[in-house]
Amino acid sequence: GAEGMGLDHEKNILISDASQEFAENIFKLNNDDKYWKNLSKNGFDYIKGNFSFEKISSQMKDLISSLNIDKNS
């Protein structure tokens, strides 16, 4: 599932719990170019903002710094 990932249904992801709902989502994406482009852009922006090299690198540096490891040990 997508729980806990910080994603929002119909903003940057489409979530379907049943086959009928899945089919309706695909139909809407296929027939609404503006909706498709908006969802695609928001999804890309989410990935870029949360999983880019810069973001992950910064998080790793913060994590390592929080360990308070003496560099001279």
Side-chain angles (χ1 to χ4, degrees):
E3 294 89 11
M5 295 180 65
L7 298 165
D8 297 313
H9 176 63
E10 293 190 326
K11 179 182 177 189
N12 46 31
I13 191 173
L14 291 177
I15 300 171
S16 306
D17 293 323
S19 57
Q20 180 66 33
E21 186 180 15
F22 179 78
E24 290 168 1
N25 284 335
I26 297 301
F27 184 81
K28 185 173 182 180
L29 283 172
N30 192 50
N31 291 297
D32 187 338
D33 194 51
K34 184 177 177 181
Y35 185 67
W36 165 264
K37 287 179 182 177
N38 189 47
L39 190 71
S40 297
K41 180 189 178 312
N42 290 341
F44 180 78
D45 290 346
Y46 176 82
I47 295 298
K48 186 178 172 184
N50 290 281
F51 301 105
S52 67
F53 177 80
E54 292 80 13
K55 180 74 173 185
I56 299 300
S57 175
S58 174
Q59 290 174 337
M60 291 298 293
K61 286 177 185 175
D62 291 345
L63 175 64
I64 291 168
S65 292
S66 74
L67 297 175
N68 295 320
I69 298 173
D70 184 6
K71 294 179 185 179
N72 298 319
S73 295

